[in-house]
């Protein structure tokens, strides 16, 4: 078994350095093994003994008194990314989980109580349990590297901080700032964390060691919330603030779907700044949440996300220079995102006005994400207008994002192929055209892949990496690596109409239009989807995507769906009338300053009892068809794609997981009933018998 922690003392100043390097993971995790070793190391510090881990000798007294302790990572990047989520899945007994939490409480309390100055030296991610450990130290110094991020992401796993984080965050930041950090799961840059009070100093990486020694020698009083910041902890005020927090949280999440943030608010309301009450509350409530259905499914989604990230682990070149053809909304935003992530980008378009608008949007994006004027300027310098396509000669990756017309794309790639280096990867952002058709005239179609981004590029995590029949395996690996270089999640899919995400969304959207034609109100349709757990209703989603795009995809995909259907005339008329959705100020909804003018369900309307099922089962049925056809390789990849590409209710763990949990035979029977009541749109795909029977029979 490899050692995770090493400890050594500087003979000149007596400061000990306690460093972690988890060889089993790319980032450090507070696994049970890591906590066991940390416990032993802290015991040696308490007893004035040096470990033999760093020196190869048995423990012996330090040559000088211990004057301070620095906790840091031995990895080049990354402090501690949190607890080992995989270990949560093996816990089935709440009493065992509570015992574990109380044990960690005791360990961090010992660090908190050490009579010497303690300091967490943070470079890279410091999340969840890693931040709770850092808060147990007297001081925190963070590097100003953009990769340094601090936060409490536990709510995204259906729990809240359980290693003393609620108590120490409130002690350090005050209840309002602490609760906001824990309720949102937001990550903060080093500078943001310093302004909040999470860290004491922010320094360049080369100055971290010297800064840590200086702070330990100076030994100022630890940073604590001010009197005004602590005022909301007073009992009369706390109840009122907690009510406001509950209302704001309820506007974003439903308690029955996501109980953790509501449990956190009640946890604080009941205990305030009472350390014992907060620690006891963590030990009791977090295990209950951890073993609940929501947390179990959200951890499944987390593992799906980690699997997508790991798809690019193969050692292949990652692009340094990218050339984007097409400066429309998609192409311009793809180029901006590439520049934001540190790559040199040339942006080509026949229209200088189009390039200008793309550059304006890019500058806005840089200011929103980077804030520091120096970083904004650096990103701006990496994005180069290139109307003549000069960047093609030196590019590693071409991304085409012109209009969705097969002939146009064919002509473009025929020209591009003659101008790029031999090693350059060719990628199209097509949303539905088969790669085989686009690459018909290429001399080497083996280097053509699809990189299908979703709108808005800056918010949508998933990118479909499309493989045509001629695409080489190496090209796909390079496409996966390129997506990860952009901090996005790559999903390998087979070239087929609509690929995965558009394919499963289209019947869901078309069913919403059918319901509208039957007289069901927009408010009722969208509310049914949101009540199920979707981030927005199907009609609001169609408006966001653009009804012209929905129409084009519906025309192309309609015949290829499991239950083929014609494009609704309502959708065709709306596009002909210029009602394109949010971008035109009107679609299904009317918009004012970019906000939908929502309507209530009309008084007296009684929506159909099977309204939600009609929407969701259309999507589930198409998912089964995609799995049967091999659009993706396995059920987990399909669930990952649909969750991260469509926003499918994360607390349900994915559409195929939802089918498994409901019992595939019972779900199939319900689909039969919907077909009997509403017609062929609900005809079950053959995959229910051919594919799901083999996957789930006897297991659910």
């Amino acid at each position: 078994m490899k050692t995770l922690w090493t400890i050594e003392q500087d003979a000149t100043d007596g400061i000990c350095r306690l460093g972690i390097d988890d060889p089993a993971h790319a980032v450090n995790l507070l696994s049970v093994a890591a906590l066991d070793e940390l416990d032993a190391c802290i015991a040696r510090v308490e007893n004035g003994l040096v470990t033999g881990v760093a020196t190869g000798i048995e423990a012996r007294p330090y040559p000088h008194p211990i004057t301070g302790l620095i906790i840091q990572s031995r990895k080049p990047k990354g402090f501690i990314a949190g607890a080992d989520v995989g270990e949560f899945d093996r816990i089935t007994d709440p009493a065992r989980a509570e015992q574990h939490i109380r044990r960690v409480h005791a360990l961090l309390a010992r660090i908190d109580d050490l009579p010497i100055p303690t300091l967490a030296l943070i470079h890279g991610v410091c999340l969840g349990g890693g931040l709770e450990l850092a808060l147990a130290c007297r001081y925190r110094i963070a590097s100003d590297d953009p990769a340094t991020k601090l936060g409490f992401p536990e709510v995204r796993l259906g729990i809240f901080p359980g290693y003393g984080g609620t108590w120490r965050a409130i002690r350090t930041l005050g209840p309002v700032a602490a609760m906001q950090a824990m309720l949102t799961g937001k990550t903060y840059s080093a500078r943001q964390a310093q302004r909040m009070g999470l860290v004491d100093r922010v320094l360049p990486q080369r100055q971290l060691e010297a800064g840590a020694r200086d702070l330990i020698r100076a030994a100022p009083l630890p940073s604590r919330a001010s009197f005004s910041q602590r005022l909301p902890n007073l009992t009369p005020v706390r109840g009122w603030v907690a009510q406001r927090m509950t209302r704001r949280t309820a506007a974003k999440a439903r308690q029955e779907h996501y109980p953790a943030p509501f449990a956190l608010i009640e946890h604080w309301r009941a205990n305030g700044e009472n350390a014992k009450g907060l620690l006891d509350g963590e030990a009791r409530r977090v295990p209950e949440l951890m073993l609940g259905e929501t947390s179990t499914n959200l951890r499944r989604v987390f593992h799906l996300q980690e699997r997508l990230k790991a798809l690019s682990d193969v050692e292949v070149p990652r692009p340094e220079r990218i050339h984007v053809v097409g400066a429309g909304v998609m192409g311009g935003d793809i180029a901006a995102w590439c520049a934001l992530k540190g790559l040199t980008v040339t942006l080509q378009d026949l229209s200088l006005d189009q390039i200008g608008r793309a550059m304006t949007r890019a500058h806005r994006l840089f200011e929103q994400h980077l804030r520091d004027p120096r970083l904004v300027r650096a990103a701006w310098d990496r994005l180069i207008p290139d109307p003549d396509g000069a960047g093609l000669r030196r590019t590693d990756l071409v991304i085409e994002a012109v209009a969705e017309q097969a002939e146009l794309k064919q002509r473009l790639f025929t020209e591009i192929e003659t101008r790029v280096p031999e090693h350059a990867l060719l990628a199209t952002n097509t949303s539905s055209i088969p790669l085989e058709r686009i690459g018909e005239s290429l001399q080497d179609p083996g280097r053509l892949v699809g990189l299908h981004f979703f709108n808005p590029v800056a918010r949508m995590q998933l990118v479909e990496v499309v493989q045509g029949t001629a695409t080489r395996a190496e090209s796909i690996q390079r496409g996966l690596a390129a997506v990860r270089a952009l901090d996005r999640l790559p999903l390998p899919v087979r070239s087929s109409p609509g690929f995965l995400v558009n394919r499963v969304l289209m019947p869901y959207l078309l069913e919403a239009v059918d319901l509208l034609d039957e007289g069901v109100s927009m408010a009722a349709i969208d509310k049914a989807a949101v009540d199920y757990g979707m981030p927005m209703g199907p009609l609001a989603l169609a408006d966001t995507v653009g009804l012209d795009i929905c129409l084009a995809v519906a025309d192309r995909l309609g015949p290829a769906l499991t239950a083929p259907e014609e494009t609704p005339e309502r959708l065709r008329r709306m596009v002909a009338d210029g009602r394109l959705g949010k971008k035109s100020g009107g679609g299904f909804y009317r918009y004012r300053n970019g906000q939908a003018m929502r309507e209530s369900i009309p008084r007296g309307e009684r929506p159909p009892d099977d309204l939600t099922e009609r929407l969701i089962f259309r999507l589930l049925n198409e998912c089964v068809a995609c799995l049967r056809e091999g659009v993706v390789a396995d059920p987990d990849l399909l669930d990952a794609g649909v969750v991260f590409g469509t926003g499918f209710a994360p607390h349900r763990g994915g559409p195929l997981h939802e089918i498994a949990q409901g019992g595939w035979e019972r779900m199939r029977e319900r689909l039969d009933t919907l077909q009997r009541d509403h017609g062929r749109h609900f005809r079950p795909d053959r995959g229910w018998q051919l594919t799901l029977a083999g996957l789930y029979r006897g297991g659910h």
Side-chain angles (χ1 to χ4, degrees):
M1 177 178 170
K2 293 185 177 180
T3 299
L4 304 179
W5 292 90
T6 58
I7 186 168
E8 53 194 356
Q9 183 186 21
D10 191 316
T12 59
D13 57 17
I15 296 175
C16 288
R17 282 170 180 76
L18 180 56
I20 181 172
D21 183 358
D22 183 347
H25 299 94
V27 294
N28 293 317
L29 300 176
L30 283 184
S31 61
V32 170
L35 290 165
D36 286 342
E37 284 194 29
L38 178 60
D39 190 307
C41 289
I42 296 303
R44 286 166 177 154
V45 171
E46 290 169 330
N47 295 322
L49 297 175
V50 67
T51 176
V53 169
T55 60
I57 59 175
E58 294 183 0
R60 58 180 173 77
Y62 282 111
H64 303 288
I66 302 173
T67 58
L69 176 67
I70 298 173
I71 299 179
Q72 62 191 105
S73 171
R74 300 292 187 190
K75 290 185 182 296
K77 289 190 176 181
F79 179 66
I80 297 173
D84 187 339
V85 176
E87 292 184 341
F88 292 177
D89 300 333
R90 295 192 286 273
I91 297 177
T92 57
D93 179 8
R96 180 184 161 204
E98 179 176 345
Q99 182 183 27
H100 170 74
I101 288 173
R102 292 191 183 278
R103 183 224 169 174
V104 179
H105 284 171
L107 171 58
L108 298 193
R110 286 163 55 205
I111 296 173
D112 211 334
D113 293 340
L114 284 171
I116 55 173
T118 54
L119 183 146
L121 197 59
I122 301 165
H123 177 62
V125 292
C126 175
L127 303 174
L131 182 52
E132 291 177 284
L133 171 59
L135 284 170
C137 296
R138 196 177 301 181
Y139 314 115
R140 289 158 295 285
I141 291 181
S143 76
D144 63 359
D145 190 288
T148 297
K149 299 291 182 184
L150 300 90
F152 295 107
E154 285 90 345
V155 289
R156 299 177 187 174
L157 298 177
I159 56 176
F160 59 78
Y163 287 173
T166 59
W167 153 235
R168 292 190 176 89
I170 289 170
R171 178 181 70 174
T172 304
L173 305 178
V176 174
M179 290 293 289
Q180 182 179 18
M182 292 184 285
L183 286 170
T184 62
K186 181 181 175 182
T187 57
Y188 301 94
S189 69
R191 295 289 178 191
Q192 290 172 317
Q194 183 182 34
R195 288 193 291 270
M196 294 169 60
L198 267 179
V199 300
D200 300 281
R201 293 181 185 174
V202 175
L203 298 170
Q205 187 177 0
R206 65 182 183 279
Q207 297 178 13
L208 291 179
E209 290 287 344
R213 288 196 301 271
D214 290 345
L215 189 54
I216 283 178
R217 288 168 185 153
L221 290 174
S223 176
R224 295 288 184 262
S226 66
F227 175 74
S228 61
Q229 290 173 321
R230 297 197 309 270
L231 279 177
N233 265 326
L234 297 175
T235 302
V237 183
R238 191 167 69 244
W240 178 77
V241 174
Q243 282 184 343
R244 291 195 63 190
M245 287 180 178
T246 300
R247 284 198 300 271
R248 289 181 179 178
T249 302
K252 298 177 181 178
R254 298 173 66 91
Q255 186 168 359
E256 62 268 33
H257 296 164
Y258 300 99
F262 298 92
L264 172 60
I265 295 170
E266 176 56 27
H267 168 67
W268 169 64
R269 189 204 63 76
N271 296 294
E273 59 182 345
N274 180 328
K276 185 179 185 306
L278 287 169
L279 294 172
D280 284 345
E282 286 182 3
R284 290 194 308 272
R285 193 69 180 99
V286 171
E288 296 172 5
L289 293 167
M290 185 188 303
L291 296 175
E293 183 178 2
T294 292
S295 181
T296 300
N297 287 341
L298 290 178
R299 293 199 305 275
R300 169 178 163 75
V301 170
F302 172 81
H303 293 312
L304 295 177
Q305 176 178 271
E306 293 303 298
R307 181 177 175 195
L308 293 183
K309 290 179 180 179
L311 290 173
S312 64
D313 282 351
V314 177
E315 289 297 325
V316 294
R318 296 196 175 198
E320 296 181 2
R321 301 182 67 89
I322 294 179
H323 185 82
V324 178
V325 184
V329 172
M330 282 301 295
D333 290 357
I334 290 169
W337 187 259
C338 293
L340 179 74
K341 290 301 171 181
L343 303 177
T344 300
V345 187
T346 44
L347 178 59
Q348 181 181 2
D349 198 284
L350 294 175
S351 168
L352 292 177
D353 289 342
Q354 194 93 297
I355 292 177
R357 288 191 290 271
M359 297 294 288
T360 299
R361 291 196 310 275
H363 196 267
R364 221 165 27 236
L365 177 76
F366 300 155
E367 289 184 326
Q368 290 170 353
H369 281 259
L370 299 175
R371 301 180 183 272
D372 186 331
R374 296 170 301 167
L375 299 177
V376 171
R377 180 67 193 182
W380 182 253
D381 289 343
R382 290 192 294 268
L383 182 57
I384 304 165
D386 185 15
D388 298 324
L392 285 167
R393 293 192 298 271
R394 300 178 58 198
T395 192
D396 303 312
L397 168 64
V398 177
I399 301 177
E400 167 274 310
V402 301
E404 193 76 344
Q405 299 170 15
E407 293 78 10
L408 173 61
K409 293 178 186 289
Q410 285 176 342
R411 291 196 304 270
L412 184 61
F413 274 110
T414 300
E415 178 188 352
I416 287 172
E417 188 178 31
T418 65
R419 299 179 61 186
V420 297
E422 289 186 4
H423 76 276
L425 183 67
L426 306 182
T428 172
N429 185 53
T430 181
S431 59
S432 58
I433 302 173
L435 260 65
E436 293 78 8
R437 187 172 180 197
I438 295 173
E440 279 177 0
S441 58
L442 287 176
Q443 293 181 7
D444 181 11
R447 63 171 167 169
L448 177 66
V449 302
L451 292 184
H452 181 212
F453 291 79
F454 296 92
N455 192 30
V457 173
R459 291 176 54 191
M460 297 300 290
Q461 288 183 280
L462 192 81
V463 177
E464 289 177 316
V465 182
V466 187
Q467 180 171 12
T469 53
T471 307
R472 286 191 294 273
E474 181 200 6
S475 298
I476 287 297
Q477 288 299 331
R478 290 180 61 195
L480 297 170
V483 172
R484 285 303 300 141
L486 299 176
D487 194 27
R488 286 294 178 253
L489 300 175
L491 178 74
V493 297
R494 182 174 62 82
S495 179
S496 60
F499 313 132
L500 175 68
V501 172
N502 284 347
R503 167 86 176 270
V504 302
L505 267 182
M506 193 46 57
Y508 167 72
L509 298 179
L510 293 178
E511 189 64 27
V513 179
D514 287 346
L515 285 160
L516 202 58
D517 286 340
E518 292 173 17
V520 183
S521 67
M522 291 189 296
I525 294 167
D526 278 0
K527 181 178 184 299
V530 172
D531 287 352
Y532 178 81
M534 297 299 206
M536 64 177 69
L539 300 175
L541 176 61
D543 272 358
T544 303
V545 171
L547 301 191
D548 52 339
I549 295 173
C550 289
L551 175 62
V553 175
D555 281 342
R556 191 171 290 113
L557 286 186
L561 296 175
T562 300
E565 60 184 285
E566 296 181 0
T567 304
E569 279 302 314
R570 176 193 290 264
L571 184 59
R572 207 175 294 282
R573 288 196 307 271
M574 292 174 72
V575 172
D577 293 342
R579 295 168 59 193
L580 307 182
K582 188 174 182 180
K583 61 186 173 185
S584 69
F588 290 109
Y589 292 94
R590 291 179 296 116
Y591 293 84
R592 181 180 298 163
N593 298 323
Q595 298 297 315
M597 307 288 289
R598 298 286 183 181
E599 301 175 0
S600 300
I601 297 176
R603 181 175 297 179
E605 177 182 359
R606 184 173 179 178
D609 292 339
D610 59 1
L611 171 55
T612 302
E613 288 185 327
R614 286 182 61 177
L615 293 170
I616 301 303
F617 270 84
R618 288 294 305 275
L619 185 151
L620 296 180
N621 197 32
E622 207 64 36
C623 287
V624 172
C626 287
L627 183 65
R628 174 182 57 79
E629 294 173 15
V631 175
V632 290
D634 59 58
D636 284 352
L637 286 180
L638 190 143
D639 277 352
V642 178
V643 168
F644 292 108
T646 74
F648 181 89
H651 74 282
R652 297 181 182 273
L656 294 180
H657 184 70
E658 174 85 333
I659 290 172
Q661 294 299 103
W664 75 270
E665 290 173 310
R666 288 193 299 275
M667 300 285 269
R668 159 66 197 263
E669 289 169 2
R670 185 58 194 148
L671 196 55
D672 287 334
T673 301
L674 289 169
Q675 181 184 17
R676 184 195 66 210
D677 293 344
H678 301 290
R680 64 185 182 86
H681 290 173
F682 292 94
R683 184 181 64 207
D685 182 79
R686 290 179 295 124
W688 289 88
Q689 289 294 341
L690 296 178
T691 307
L692 296 193
L695 282 174
Y696 299 141
R697 191 180 297 279
H700 298 276

